[in-house]
Structures are given as C-alpha cells and as structure tokens.
Amino acid sequence: MSQPDQLQHPQGEQSNKDMRALVEREYKHGFFTEIESDTVPPGLNEDVIRMISEKKGEPDFLLQWRLKAYRYWQTLKTPDWAKLNLTPIDYQSISYYSAPKRRTDGPKSLDEVDPKLLETYEKLGIPLHERAALAGVAVDAVFDSVSVTTTFKDKLADAGVIFSSFSEAAREHPELVEQYLGTVVPYRDNFFAALNSAVFTDGSFVYIPKGVRCPMELSTYFRINEAKTGQFERTLIVADEGSHVSYLEGCTAPMRDENQLHAAVVELVALRDAQIKYSTVQNWYPGDEEGRGGIYNFVTKRGDCREDNAKISWTQVEAGSAITWKYPSCVLRGANTVGEFYSVAVTNNLQQADTGTKMIHIGPNSRSTIVSKGISAGRAQQSYRGLVKMMPSAAQARNYTQCDSLLMGNQCGAHTFPYMEIKNASAIVEHEATTSKIGDDQLFYCRQRGLSEEDAVNMIVNGFCKEVFRELPMEFAVEAQNLLNVSLEGAVG
Amino acid sequence: MTSAIQTTHAKFVASHPAATWLPRLRSVALESLERHGFPTVALEDYRYTNLKPAAERAIDYLGRSEQPPQTQPEAAPAAAADALRIEVVNGRLQRLPEDLPAGLTLRRLSAGDKAQHDLIAAQINEAGQRGAGLVEFNAAFLTDALQIDVAPGVTLPTPLYLDLWSDGQPISNLPRVLVRCGDGSNATVIEHFRGTGAGSTNSVTQLACGTGAQLEYVKLQTESTDAHHLATQIATLAAGSCLNATYIDLGSALARNDLHCDLAGAGASASLRGAYLAADAQHLDAHIWINHRAPHTQSRATHRGIAKDRGRIVFDGKITVASGADGTDAALQNRNLLLNDGAEIDTKPELEIYADDVKCSHGATTGQLDPMSVFYLRSRGLTDVQARQMLIGAFTRKITGHIGMPTLRQLVESSIDDRISES
Amino acid sequence: MNRLLSVNGLRVSVGEAEILRGLDLEVNAGEVHAIMGPNGSGKSTLAHVLAGRDGYDVTAGSVTYRGEDLLELAPEERAWRGLFLGFQYPVEIPGVNNVALLKAALNARKKYQGEPEVDSIEFLKRVREKAGLMEMDDSFLQRAVNEGFSGGEKKRNEIFQMALLEPELAILDETDSGLDIDALKIVANGVNRMRNDQRAFILVTHYQRLLDYIQPDFVHVLARGQVVKTGDKGLALDLEAQGYDWVLDKAANQ
C-alpha cells in the first residue's frame, strides 16, 4: 500500500512531479524482515494438516473439513486450461506454515507485538498503531501464515461488527464459521480451492449484523516474508440482512529468485438487501525483468448474492505477481440482485495474467456489469476470461460487459475469451471488446500541450482505467494510479 | 470407436478401389484420424456441440453398401439457372458441365492423369493438418474431389453453383471441393446443400485466393431437419486478395460449420457474414477463425443467430493477430435473438493478439425483438405474428443484403422467410 | 521588430510525396498571418511540422523560433516555449479530464519558465474566467478531453485551451471549419481578445469567412508547397470573389 502522505491527495490532484518520482521507482516492497520464525519443514501430508489445525486451536469440524479437502485434492490434477506458461509446482517443497515466533500465546495488545513486525508494516505504509493509522480504515495484518493484529476491534465491536483473523473467528465464533465456510466456494470447487481448504493458515473473517452499516472501511494486508513458504489465506465475509460493508485487500512480498505460491480463497455471502464492496490492490512481487522469481497468484474469489436485492461489487487492480489466475465471481441467486466486476490488470516484462469473472444469473431481474481494462507491456501475456450465464430462471436479467485492452510494445499479447450462455428469452446480454495501442494522435496532442511523453502515457493510461479507479475507495484510488505508473516503467519507448 | 473406424475403413477401401496413389492418401488421413479421434466435448472448440451422434451415423452409413438414389433430385433452384450448375447427388459428383467460359478449368480426382492426382493430393494433404478430425475423416473415405481453377486475371462471367443434393439414403456424403483463384481473378462460388431424410454430410472446401484475387463465396444450407451437416472451409488469402463470404444455415438437426480464414498476404481482406435460424430442436454451430498473419490485413465478420422452440445457436468467432501483422484492422459482431424460453444461445467471441499496432474489436449481444418495433407494426395493422415474422426477417436482411447475385439473394431471403413462417 | 518565426526554404515529404517545396515565412510578434490555399496545398502539413508531429521528413530548409532551431525540439519542448497548435481535428482522450490535462500543461510550462506552479484555487479562477469568455459551462470542463464533444465544442475547447496557456505563437489549423456563425464569432472574439504586441497568430484556413471577424495583417496563398502570393486583407477578398485559380495561374506563368 501507499505512504500515508500520498493518501492525503484527493483523487486526480497528483502533480506531475510526484508522478515522475513514482515512475522512476522500482518495486519498493521487496525487502525482507529478519525475524525469528516458527516454520514447519516443507512437505504436505495429513500430519501437517493436523499440526496446522492444532497450532490454531481449531474446533474439530474444521480439522475434519480440512482432511476431506486434502483427500479430495489428492485425486486432482493441476488445471492446464488457462493461457499460462508456468514451471510445474512441487507441492512437497513448500512449507505450509510459517509464523513469527512469539513468547506467549498471542499478543494481547500491540505492545506485545514484535517491534520488528510493527516496523515492517510501518515501512509498507500500514501503521498499526491506531493513533497513527489511517482514519476510518480498520486493518487486519497477515504476516506469512498468521494474523499479527487487527486494529480498531473495539470500535467495530460497538457496532456489532466482527472483524478478526480467521483463526480467532474459528475459536470465538465457531457457529458462524461452520454455518458459512465452504458454502460459496466448496472444497471440491477446483484444484487450488481444494488445496487451500486443506492447508489454509489465516485470513480475515467479517460478520456484519442485520441492518448495520459498517462504520469504517475494513482492510487486510497480506505479506509473504519467509522463503519457500506458500501463503494460503482464507477470507470469509458475511453481510446479514440489510447490512453494508466495504473491504480492501492489499498484498506484497520480498524480491526473491524463486517463485512462491499464493493460493487464496475468498467467500462473500450477502443476504437480503445486503451490500458488499470488495476492493483489491494486488502488488505481489512480479519477478524481475528476466522473469526470475515472483509470486504465483492462484486465487478463487466468489460472492453469493444469496437472497433478494443483495449486491456484491468486486474492484481489483492487479499489478503484481509473476502469474495471476483469478476470477472474482458472483452467483446472483436472489431476485433483483446485482453483481459488479471492475478490473484493471497491468502486466509488464514477463508477467502473465489470466483474469476475469463469472456472473451466474439465477434470480429474476438480476443485473451484472463487467468492466475490464487490461494493459500489456514488455513481453507480458494477458487474458480476459469471463463467463456470463443466464439460467432459465433468470427472467429479465441483464448483463453488460466492456473489455478493453491496451498494448504497449510489439512483443506482448492481449487476449479476450468471453463466454456467454443464455437460456432465458427475456434476458439481455451485451458484450463489447476492443484492443488497440495508445493512439499516436493522442500522444501528440498531449505533448503539443506541453506534457512529456511519459506523463502523456501515464495520463492516457489512467484515463483508460478511470471507469475502474472511480469504483475504488478514495484512499486507494491514488495509490492504484501510482502503482500503474510504476508497473509500466520502461514500457514506453 | 477407433476399431469401428478401422473395420469400416477396411471394408470401405475394399468396396471403393481407386488409383494406386489414393489408398496412401486415405491411409495417411486414417492414421491421423485415429490419433486425434473424433472431436469430443472435452475439446474447448466443441464444448457446446456434441458430435457423437453425427460421427456414429456417418460411420454406420459408411459400413453399408451403397444404393443408387431412390428419388430424383428436386428441381434445381431458379437461381442455378443464372449460374454454371455442378450437380452432386448423395455426395457423388455427377457429370461435369462441358461448355465452360474461358479461363475456367474443372478437374476431378477420379479421372485424369497422375500429375493431376498429385496436384490435388498435395492440396488435400496440406489441409489435413488443420482440422480436428473432421477434415481427416473426409480424406480417409475419399472417392472423388472437384478442383475448380480460375486462371489469373480472369473474371468469370457466371457464378458456379454447386448443387449438393441428398435423398437421405444411408450414404455418408463427403464432398471435397478445391477452389483456386489465380492472381487478379474474380469469381463467385455457391455451395447449396439441400435434401430430404436423415442425411449425413461432412464436407471440406478449400478456397485459395492468389494475389489480388476476389472471391465471393456463398454457402446455403437447407438440408432436412433430420440431417447431420458438418462442413469445413479452409480459405487462404494471398496479398491484396479479398474473400467475401456469406453463410446461411436453416436446415439440419445438427449442423457444425468451421471456417478457417488465413489472411496470409499483406493487405488481404475478408468480409464474412452469417445468418442462422435454429427452430424445433435444431442445433446450429458456427465457428470462424480469422487468422491475421500479414501486415495491413483487414477482416469484418457479422453473424446473426435466431433461436426458437428448443433450438440452439452456438457461435464462436476468433480473431488471431500474429506477431508482425502490424496495421491489422479486425472487427467481429455477433447478434442473436432468443425468441422463447427453452431455446439457447451460446456465444464466444475471442481476440488473441500478439502485435501492438492493431485495431481490433468484437461485440456480442443476445436479446429479443424490440417491443416498440412490434407495437409500431401492429399499429399499422399487422398481426402480432406477422409483425414478429417481419422483424425476424429484417434481422437477417443485414446479412443477405450483401449477396451479389440477385436471384440467389431472392432464393436465400425467401428460404429464410419460409423457415420463419413454417416453424 | 521582434522576430518570432522564420521559415526558410522548407521542404517536407511524407513518404514518397513532397508536400512543402521550399516554403518561406517570417512572423513577428504582434502580427496575424492568414495562410490560405486550395485543398492539398500543404497548409496542414505546415502546421503539423511547426508543432513537431511525427511522420514528416524535413529534407531541406530551416525553421527558427525565437532564435532557436525549432526542428530540433520535441513537441512538448515547443509547447513550453510558447508554441500552440489548435488542431483541425481535436483528439478525443477517453477518461482524461479536460481540466486535469490543462493543469498539467500549464504547470509543465511554468516549470520550464522557472516559475512556481499555479495553485488550485488560482488555476480554477483562471479556468472559469476563460471558459466564461468562450461560453463554456462547468460540465463541459469536467468532461473527458473532447470526448463526445460536437465539432463546434471541440473547436471552442481549443481556443479555450489557447486562452489559458497564453502562447506567444498560436497556429490555428482550420479552426473555422465546421463552425456555425455563432460559434465562429465566439472563436474569433477569443482570438481577438488575445491579440497584443507580444503575440502572433497563424490562421490556416480555406475560406475567407473567418477573416471577416479576425483582421489579418498578411494573407499568404499557399499552392503546391510554396507561398505563391502575399498580400493584405484585400487578397483574401479577391480570393473569395475569384477563387484560387487566377493566383495559381499567375504563379505558374511566372
């Protein structure tokens, strides 16, 4: 995430000077924190899973669920249909649990948290002391396999909102976890979802009670630190009837030559009249210019508009990772439900991204909007892959999809694979896609007005992405723009 | 299935002896077919269309002994009167017309000398590398092929009308047509597939346009609604050449058409259109793959589908721009009408782009007839049914309006209107 | 006399075709020059070459702008030095806010001049003032650059940008084309208001109509890549009455 002082600027007021400074900057989150950690040896078997569950003091139902997932996962083969080129992953060479060592069972307050950890988040621009923290944003900080701390818990508790690490929720609110876990993304869903279900270590849990408008933005910050570990977090957000919540997710990792695996699952449940807005700024280490290292980011994100009038909105800015494989989706089950997907994906150098969404319309009068903006530079390959499905019950359902790709340089690729399956005769589906490069005439126009070529490119690219950026919470919009400029560094020429 | 193919093939070869080189062509294709097998729904390109019933019928028919046609072909459509008509009955090429315009040569594989065979065989072998089983299947059971050569610089005064009629006897129709348009030539080729009964067709048409050649190609498919119709066209366009193709699919229980269009030379352009009407329980699948392999190539594709009753329309249109094909300008549009619950439309426009100086777009919509338009027509005195029929017809006119030959356009439009009103 | 621009023997080709064939032009501060000529005479090429657009090969001649070799400079460097091109076809840039572009442009120039950037309040004040003169309302300013603007709105936006950026040399490429009479008057007033002894204008136009509202000091007739005749305002009227042929014939006979 970003420096707090940058967050003070209102959207669009970023000066050129700042922009130039940012363009000249490299991946700035690539440092490693020297901290003694409790890391299990690499390898995966049922004992490792039992050990993870035991370390976290989980109820038995959760252990049994993990084991079922593990047994199922063993029957699966790695999917190969996405348009990706990757070295096969050796699942036995990954360590499935790594946590910073601590003296007691867990920090009772921030004073007990290792100062090195606090410093790490400080450096990442996420101060965890509440007095220094971003006003109006509660943060759950996840470091490798565990949650370090969650800020503003008391203030949220006053409103009845539960916001905690997943492990804590499994201990404190097992009935809620048991009721909703795996109901949106079952462990049989896909290869990586099954793996995650077996070995997930931490993540965030959110429950917004009936009629409550969450008083602040909720945010989780994921950090991979240890080498040879994978991060398998699991996030579950339940918005009860008539409630509202906006949730942000950010992620970074140190620069390393080997690839690291991140296989997360996010489940959202929106009940009658509830609204969930989920925003991601993904900035995992993308690897170097030659494609060495970087995170393999294989994520299953799905929201279930389970009852009438529910709304789920996904906004993502995908700038990092060597490989991204991610399709935040909506199951529009209730009547009049709304699903949205706004995405900016940037790939440079040898990055590969295969991302998009699925909108499954089941309820009558359900509506969905998809806006996807892809920017491909260097030797990167990027694909939009999406499915819009109108089930026979989805009378009067509507979908509108707009997918645009911008190419920078003649060695990259941009691909669009939309699937539309329509089984209802009153449904309307519209899809449009374009692919082009930045127009020479646009560049010349901006330069004639006095902008440097680089500033002109940044301005045009940000304009290209504007429909998505304006869906981001204000605090993140400027950061997202900056991230875009950094990611495209060296792409003009 | 594999062993069934082998057995059938052995029996077929025994009953269809041919010149010494043909067995080799057949066996190469058979080997390739056995390696890939028939395409199944597990393949991405066939996820919406299960060809198993069509494959089973074709193999079943090949295993039977062939009978002469039981019925006389229906009278040729009036449009054929304005054209040079070439008759194909139950997949068998009939006597070729003799009075040919200058610059046009027709040859058949089953006649002629070794050199001619080699020429045709080379083209067939080349195409064999492309298909996902269907092209090989056609070659493995080949008995004949038609080569149409248009000499360089020649503009044919009349269109060629291939009238492919089937009477539904248990015969596997495997037409193979090779069209070669010489540099700077100009021709119109029509393939009209029609017939009665439970026919089985798997045709392959190769279209090669030389430098600056212009080819108009029209494929009209009005087979019986019990027929299975599979067809592949492989088009290769040299520099500055132009293909103008129109597809009309109204018949068959199951129809699948694959067009591979290679824009291989700089400045080549393709203009592709299609109209499809799936009623009753028809399943019509159109796949087009436009491959921009050279700079400054242009393509336009416009396809319109209509699904009613329990009909199903599948459309897959892929534009690929190869690295180095700078200045490519490609646009694809797919519009569909889904007229009642129970029908289904599956559409998948794709862009795969490896060059940056391009302008590519695609769009797809699925919806219904505009209620305001229906109301407008009714306010002018039409019944609801009349209004809808008129609007459905109008929806397809954007496609048929581009057919250059007036009598053919009339034939196509009246066939569409008939199909709309009878279904 | 304050010489702003000297074009000497300029020859420019696009691909195989030579468009400008030895063009000469001198522009001093305070002057308004009209460049007229039939279609294809090279008017827009001249405007683009002066602004630094790619795709033109300068094969001979020189262009000096305030003592510097203009042809050596990047387009933005020309802009920083006070050269403005009003586009014949202003470009649409989706998602980029009109005002944001202007602020970036103005501050880029301030930075070059070593002046402090204008603060937001001062900037908005100026924007409102200039927009008011061009009869543009706020919604117009908040829209993306030229996106969805009508032809007339785009041209007014060009003049508005010029007013805000206060260039020393403004080249207006067929700014009058596609304008109705009311819009033409607004545009002309915008230009007239900016006329002073520090600033010069080059009006590239096909028709005399614009010159009814903006009085030029010089009228040049461009044909086949050269200035074939120079005169005063009267020349434009003659061209209006008699067409271009008599000038071209006369030039050909020389």
Side-chain angles (χ1 to χ4, degrees), chain A residues 157-168:
Chain A
D158 289 346
V161 171
I162 302 170
F163 179 40
S164 71
S165 72
F166 201 99
S167 309
E168 190 181 326

Side-chain angles (χ1 to χ4, degrees), chain A residues 188-205:
Chain A
R188 304 177 79 93
D189 195 77
N190 68 66
F191 182 88
F192 293 106
L195 177 63
N196 173 285
S197 302
V199 305
F200 75 88
T201 42
D202 221 330
S204 298
F205 176 82

